[in-house]
């Protein structure tokens, strides 16, 4: 996978800019606030259909403008891929995948594999369950784009089920039953995929965390379901039976709460460091190293399919690490793929890059050396 060109119009701080990228490491160099992270964000949006920092696409429109446009021209082997996204302040969205126009940003996923390492990733360790669910679901969807629709349908059904729990008189029993069975049917593949991915991710994160920290701390990652104390069966009939039993047990509580109290939208992931919850006990440096481990493990997992070897987006990751960790991270990064790194100082990078782009006052200029 290779991003060849990025074109932006009125995206965040950028009015109109085009950047020709190269294979290998592309460094975006420029002072604080010049728009480096915004460029990485644009690549992320075109490849994954959502921003790593904003929930609303409207936030991406440059202040004072009424619509943003972002386009990536990429290639996979000899095959060219074009991915474009735009949204206006009224929320009207349009995407283009190889010239085919659509409306749903989520349809962008699955054409260009991208893994980003961002300062905000610390929230996977420190933040609330929603951040960990989003991380996991983004990975599930990159791994299997068909899951985008399953997740969307699940969210829709939960919303309808919550409406029925709020105003039971407005929904007859048959409708409520249909919503129940749709919810359980959609929950099952989501749970199966999430648990499978975590099984694959967990040992990788442990190894990468140790490599980066230079120690041997044990890491455990567990899926923590909203299904009581029992262990969640991994799949199939047993999983369905467990969900059904949970629904029955929570029937009264759900009527009282007027809300769906179990299911993938209530689940969490526990990260243990030396057997203790990392959320509460990890130091800042340990949490940072675990978050980097999660991202690099995702990249490793996706790279197992050669056609999906990810493009890496590294948003100022070296700046927050001490000297030895910088060197170790540099050695851990895959060297055969394409990456985009941003930093205000070249000296923060412990290795030579292939190309350097200077960002200044609304322009991107490739420099020699
Ligand atoms: N919708 C928007 N319209 C215009 N400007 C925006 C918009 N959203 C954010 N900005 C501006 O973009 C700038 C931040 O850009 P960005 O985060 O890319 O900077 P950066 O080069 O990564 O800086 P740092 O080195 O500090 O990380 C800020 O000045 C912010 O005010
Ligand atoms: Mg930045």
């Amino acid at each position: 996978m290779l991003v060849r060109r990025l074109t932006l119009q009125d995206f965040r701080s950028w009015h109109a800019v085009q950047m020709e990228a190269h294979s290998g490491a592309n460094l975006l160099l420029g002072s604080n606030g010049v728009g480096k992270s915004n460029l990485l964000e644009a690549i992320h949006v075109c490849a994954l259909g959502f921003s790593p920092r904003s929930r609303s696409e409207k936030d991406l429109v440059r202040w004072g403008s009424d619509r943003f446009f972002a386009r990536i021209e990429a290639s996979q082997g000899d095959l060219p891929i074009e991915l474009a996204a735009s949204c206006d302040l009224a929320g009207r969205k349009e995407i283009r995948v190889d010239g085919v126009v659509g409306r749903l940003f989520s349809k962008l996923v699955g054409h260009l594999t991208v893994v980003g390492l961002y300062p905000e990733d610390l929230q996977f360790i420190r933040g609330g369950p929603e951040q960990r669910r989003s991380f996991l679901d983004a990975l599930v969807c990159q791994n299997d784009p068909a899951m985008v629709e399953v997740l969307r349908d699940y969210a829709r059904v939960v919303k309808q089920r919550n409406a029925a729990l709020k105003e039971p008189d407005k929904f007859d029993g048959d409708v409520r039953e249909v919503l129940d069975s749709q919810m359980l049917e959609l929950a099952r593949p989501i749970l199966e995929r999430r648990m499978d991915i975590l099984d694959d991710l967990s040992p990788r994160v442990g190894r990468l965390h140790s490599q980066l920290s230079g120690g041997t701390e044990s890491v455990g990652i567990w899926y923590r379901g909203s299904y009581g104390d029992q262990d969640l069966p991994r799949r199939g009939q047993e999983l369905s039976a467990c969900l059904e039993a949970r629904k029955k047990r929570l029937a009264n509580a759900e009527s009282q709460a007027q809300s769906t109290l179990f299911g993938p939208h209530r689940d969490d992931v526990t990260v243990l460091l030396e057997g203790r919850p990392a959320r509460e006990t990890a130091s800042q440096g340990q949490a940072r190293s675990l978050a980097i481990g999660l991202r690099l493990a995702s990249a490793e997992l996706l790279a197992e399919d050669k056609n999906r070897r990810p493009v890496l987006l590294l948003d100022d990751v070296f700046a927050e690490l001490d000297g030895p960790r910088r060197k170790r991270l540099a050695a851990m990064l895959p060297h055969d793929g394409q990456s985009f790194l941003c930093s205000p100082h070249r000296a923060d990078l412990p290795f030579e890059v292939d190309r350097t782009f200077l960002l200044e006052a609304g322009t991107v200029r490739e420099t020699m050396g």
Side-chain angles (χ1 to χ4, degrees):
M1 297 245 148
L2 191 65
V3 173
R4 297 190 177 282
R5 182 181 294 143
L6 175 67
T7 308
L8 301 182
Q9 277 160 20
D10 295 322
F11 184 97
R12 293 278 195 196
S13 53
W14 295 98
H15 171 44
V17 73
Q18 193 161 74
M19 175 186 167
E20 310 281 336
H22 301 268
S23 56
N26 295 269
L27 170 63
L28 312 178
L29 200 61
S31 51
N32 293 135
V34 76
K36 303 180 293 297
S37 299
N38 293 343
L39 278 190
L40 297 192
E41 185 180 24
I43 298 175
H44 189 117
V45 168
C46 289
L48 295 177
F50 68 93
S51 155
R53 348 192 237 186
S54 273
R55 281 175 148 261
S56 168
E57 287 83 4
K58 288 187 232 170
D59 294 347
L60 307 177
V61 178
R62 192 169 70 96
W63 301 324
S65 313
D66 57 9
R67 175 179 177 272
F68 85 76
F69 171 81
R71 180 178 66 204
I72 281 180
E73 289 158 82
S75 59
Q76 181 183 325
D78 290 338
L79 278 182
I81 309 166
E82 190 196 335
L83 300 166
S86 71
C87 177
D88 67 16
L89 289 179
R92 275 186 294 264
K93 296 172 201 165
E94 187 176 293
I95 63 157
R96 244 181 310 134
V97 178
D98 284 338
V100 179
V101 175
R103 298 252 163 257
L104 294 172
F105 269 42
S106 54
K107 294 268 183 201
L108 288 162
V109 75
H111 302 277
L112 176 72
T113 313
V114 157
V115 171
L117 279 74
Y118 306 104
E120 297 84 2
D121 291 352
L122 209 55
Q123 292 304 314
F124 297 154
I125 307 301
R126 293 266 190 253
E130 202 189 337
Q131 265 113 356
R132 285 179 287 281
R133 286 195 296 265
S134 305
F135 162 75
L136 205 50
D137 288 342
L139 188 55
V140 162
C141 290
Q142 285 217 85
N143 204 39
D144 178 3
M147 288 303 292
V148 170
E149 267 166 49
V150 178
L151 282 157
R152 203 176 44 231
D153 288 349
Y154 175 80
R156 177 180 47 77
V157 170
V158 168
K159 210 166 156 191
Q160 289 170 344
R161 193 171 182 267
N162 287 344
L165 285 162
K166 249 184 209 94
E167 296 182 284
D169 301 341
K170 284 197 180 164
F171 296 79
D172 69 33
D174 288 350
V175 174
R176 290 207 301 268
E177 253 176 54
V178 169
L179 288 174
D180 283 357
S181 71
Q182 282 181 341
M183 180 198 152
L184 298 195
E185 221 162 276
L186 290 161
R188 204 181 76 181
I190 298 172
L191 293 170
E192 287 173 349
R193 299 306 168 92
R194 282 185 181 174
M195 289 191 281
D196 282 351
I197 284 255
L198 271 193
D199 281 350
D200 199 337
L201 212 59
S202 179
R204 296 176 195 267
V205 178
R207 173 174 45 77
L208 291 161
H209 169 76
S210 294
Q211 246 171 291
L212 183 60
S213 61
T216 50
E217 292 161 333
S218 70
V219 176
I221 304 186
W222 306 105
Y223 195 74
R224 212 178 72 205
S226 45
Y227 314 95
D229 289 337
Q230 70 189 106
D231 277 346
L232 199 58
R234 309 301 303 190
R235 55 184 64 253
Q237 289 304 319
E238 287 179 0
L239 180 52
S240 295
C242 171
L243 292 172
E244 186 67 42
R246 192 68 179 152
K247 186 196 83 183
K248 287 206 178 103
R249 199 166 312 134
L250 287 178
N252 285 338
E254 287 195 321
S255 299
Q256 266 180 10
Q258 302 187 332
S259 168
T260 302
L261 297 179
F262 73 106
H265 66 294
R266 305 274 294 202
D267 295 349
D268 196 357
V269 172
T270 303
V271 182
L272 298 177
L273 188 62
E274 297 288 49
R276 283 182 281 276
R279 187 177 179 191
E280 287 123 44
T281 59
S283 73
Q284 198 73 350
Q286 286 169 323
R288 169 79 50 208
S289 154
L290 283 169
I292 291 175
L294 277 169
R295 288 298 202 183
L296 291 183
S298 313
E300 239 186 50
L301 190 148
L302 293 166
E304 282 189 345
D305 177 346
K306 277 207 176 56
N307 293 324
R308 279 193 322 216
R309 184 164 294 165
V311 173
L312 284 184
L313 308 177
L314 302 165
D315 191 350
D316 235 343
V317 275
F318 291 97
E320 300 192 24
L321 300 174
D322 60 28
R325 279 184 176 75
R326 277 185 197 183
K327 286 209 178 93
R328 284 189 217 120
L329 176 59
M332 287 160 67
L333 294 174
H335 292 292
D336 48 354
Q338 186 184 31
S339 58
F340 292 82
L341 307 99
C342 60
S343 174
H345 311 288
R346 193 188 298 262
D348 283 346
L349 293 181
F351 57 87
E352 291 295 312
V353 294
D354 296 288
R355 304 284 172 147
T356 302
F357 297 85
L358 259 190
L359 279 57
E360 270 171 346
T363 62
V364 177
R365 184 166 50 86
E366 189 174 339
T367 63
M368 304 308 283

